[in-house]
Amino acid sequence: MSDDRWQTVLVLGGIRSGKSAFAEALIAGAASVLYVATAVGGEDDPEWRGRIEAHQRRRPQSWSTEETGADPGRLATLLADAKPDDTLLVDDLGGWVAALLDPARQPNDDEADVAALAAAVRSCAGRVVFVSPEVGLTLVAATPVGRAFTDALGTTNQALAESCDRVALVVAGRPVWLKGADVSDLSENSVAMPTAVAPQPVTPAPATLDSATTDSATLAPTALAPAVEPAAPQLVAPAAEAEAPAPAAVINEPTQQLPTIGGLVAIEPGMDLPMPDSDAGPDARDRLAGVDFAGAGLGALTEAVEFAAGTQGTTIPRAWTSPRVLLISGSHAGGAAAGDDPADVERRVAEVEHGEGVLSRLAGQAGADIAVLRVAAGGAMEDGPVIDDAAVEVALRQGWRLAEAAADAGRDLIVLASIGVGTDAVATAVSAATTAAEAAALLPRVLRPGGFYDDEAWMVRCAAIRDTLHRIRQESRGAKDILRELGGADLAVATGALLGAASRRLPVLLDGPLGIAAALVARDIGSQIRHWALLPDDGGVELVRQGADVLGLQSVLDLGLGLGEGANALAALPLLRTAIGLAAAAPVHPAMLAEPGDGGLTDLLAPNDDEPADDGAEPSDDDGDYTEPTPDGPGPATTGA
């Protein structure tokens, strides 16, 4: 059985109850799904074709389709052949029963077929969600064949309800759990089915990264000595104020095939990284137009829903449940450090390592753990390269492995955070060098404890950036050149983390100067990374705002938070998760459920009957649930308001 304690689910519901949408939401996090279409007939019915096409447009492109209408016995075979990592959606059992009762198959022992299907469900190794119409609440059919269909479907539903781990009844878009769930497991409006557990305690010993790697977290600084192997990052699990859901195992896809050198991924410009689903995001946005919100809907938060849908490859995304914060702490010498107190920075990092402070508190509330990575100090950028080429390579690989470790641990979101000395000035220099922006317009003011601004320190930083840009005016400005000359170890680790996250299809929340500067560098290595990044709030920082604009990102919110890089994103995360959860759980507006011809929104959004039907997929949820046999054979049902 899976971590969230179900392997097979039966979803029952009436016509247009929302049962298919609910069933699809249960498996929204699966990397791929086999959709088993059961019904037959309807090829000459344009309205039926329109229903089929509406279902097909709702499914992610990663899903595949298998038809069993011509051979209902094949359904049991598909279940028997399913592997532990497979996910199947059978929609629906009404079509399967109609095919079973096809006069062309008679005489036949239909009860034996139902018993064989129930046995296949009990022994199935994969995850399966069955959708079935609950027809027992209507009038007794007036015809013998109608009564036979109702009886057979009722028998099938009972057999599978006995065999499945969980059973839900969907009424008016609202699921009610009949078997296998209690109040402690699920709310009545829940879509996903996570197990409520507290974050796992993690000892300070760094044991999550590949011990075989020689990638360094503490990198060669000013002297440009060869990189040496340092300690791995420390994992901290802040105390959660409330129980958090267990991580969903949805970000487990392997890195797509990339060039390697000596067994390591070659992090070089022109990397071919994965892209989010190009249709799922816009489709999720379009779907929100029909959701039953009292007003205009989610507003700016729609951007978060669209991002989650694209990165998860589904039009009904689930809210992130298991974030990991990557806290990178670096130090830069020279004018970049003007106005920063190294002792105060060290105090803040130590607080995080002990589970204290604002960042730890917010992480605990979000159910996130924190990977704290200290890197060695870089040189003064105005004087020469801050690290050497070998240290750049080591830092990039270290960041890549940090992202891979998060994915391997089942984390579904990365929050990039930074606490360091001179980070703002270095990020400004990198942004100015890569975008040709005016550095003085980007450099944040220097805020000292007590709430006053140190403009003298700001001018020292400006002078250091000016001298640095003058020094490299005739130097190559490739991604690795920028990291060697200006960025240093912390920026290189952040760059590698962004690339590694994209390779594992893991979304990242950017938050502050370091994250934006790293994204500007990373896009010159793998341009796809910007599609895996979301900016919850720009904090009113011009450096972040302009860098995001160059990357094609837009701040979701305008909160003007100044809690520190990483803490801003964690503070906004509950609102983002609420929006995504509402988008998945809110029912469709009744006007969208009007029958064709009633003059409602359904008519405005109806598909063009002249379009050719897509081979293969057949629905049955709220758009017409089953196929009732006729004396001449099965055909599209005409019952059902």
Side-chain angles (χ1 to χ4, degrees), residues 186-599:
L186 298 166
S187 68
E188 64 176 359
N189 297 328
S190 174
V191 173
M193 300 199 294
T195 306
V197 298
Q200 294 294 321
V202 182
T203 62
T208 62
L209 295 183
D210 184 358
S211 60
T213 178
T214 57
D215 287 1
S216 172
T218 306
L219 305 172
T222 314
L224 305 182
V228 295
E229 183 176 357
Q234 175 175 331
L235 275 180
V236 180
E241 294 193 352
E243 289 188 338
V250 298
I251 310 295
N252 290 325
E253 294 188 20
T255 303
Q256 81 175 55
Q257 193 65 35
L258 295 168
T260 60
I261 299 176
L264 299 174
V265 173
I267 303 178
E268 298 291 343
M271 294 187 78
D272 183 17
L273 298 171
M275 285 282 288
D277 191 311
S278 61
D279 295 326
D283 287 349
R285 180 182 287 270
D286 293 342
R287 176 182 171 276
L288 291 178
V291 171
D292 189 14
F293 292 133
L298 296 174
L301 291 169
T302 301
E303 182 74 19
V305 177
E306 184 173 356
F307 173 77
T311 54
Q312 295 176 25
T314 175
T315 56
I316 308 177
R318 56 165 185 77
W320 304 295
T321 60
S322 183
R324 170 163 291 178
V325 180
L326 297 185
L327 174 60
I328 304 171
S329 178
S331 178
H332 300 265
D340 283 341
D341 182 356
D344 190 57
V345 168
E346 174 60 30
R347 176 185 63 83
R348 292 184 183 278
V349 176
E351 281 184 344
V352 176
E353 291 175 333
H354 290 88
E356 301 170 352
V358 173
L359 186 68
S360 296
R361 181 180 182 86
L362 291 171
Q365 292 173 344
D369 63 2
I370 307 174
V372 182
L373 185 68
R374 296 171 180 266
V375 300
M381 59 182 177
E382 61 268 35
D383 295 337
V386 294
I387 56 175
D388 65 11
D389 290 324
V392 169
E393 296 293 341
V394 167
L396 287 171
R397 290 198 301 272
Q398 179 73 354
W400 183 287
R401 290 182 183 273
L402 282 170
E404 286 193 324
D408 292 340
R411 302 301 173 184
D412 56 5
L413 181 71
I414 285 179
V415 179
L416 204 54
S418 170
I419 300 176
V421 175
T423 306
D424 283 359
V426 169
T428 300
V430 169
S431 298
T434 54
T435 67
E438 178 60 42
L442 300 180
L443 181 63
R445 296 181 71 185
V446 181
L447 181 64
R448 302 298 296 271
F452 73 92
Y453 290 99
D454 187 343
D455 289 333
E456 289 186 5
W458 181 85
M459 288 186 286
V460 172
R461 293 184 184 187
C462 271
I465 297 171
R466 176 202 63 203
D467 294 345
T468 300
L469 296 177
H470 179 76
R471 177 179 64 79
I472 66 167
R473 66 190 183 281
Q474 294 181 340
E475 300 288 340
S476 173
R477 298 198 181 186
K480 293 184 179 180
D481 300 316
I482 292 294
L483 294 175
R484 181 190 66 245
E485 298 290 334
L486 310 176
D490 50 354
L491 199 73
V493 169
T495 300
L498 290 172
L499 295 167
S503 77
R504 295 297 296 268
R505 305 176 183 274
L506 190 59
V508 180
L509 297 187
L510 297 180
D511 182 13
L514 180 82
I516 287 295
L520 289 170
V521 176
R523 66 161 184 162
D524 290 338
I525 298 176
S527 60
Q528 300 87 352
I529 65 100
R530 69 183 185 88
H531 298 284
W532 296 96
L534 183 71
L535 179 66
D537 182 52
D538 60 28
V541 178
E542 189 63 24
L543 167 60
V544 176
R545 184 181 294 117
Q546 287 199 29
D549 185 63
V550 172
L551 290 166
L553 302 178
Q554 184 176 359
S555 177
V556 178
L557 305 170
D558 186 15
L559 303 177
L561 295 174
L563 303 174
E565 185 160 356
N568 295 333
L570 288 173
L573 182 57
L575 188 56
L576 303 182
R577 294 202 288 204
T578 297
I580 297 169
L582 281 175
V588 175
H589 193 282
M592 301 297 295
L593 302 178
E595 292 287 350
D598 288 350

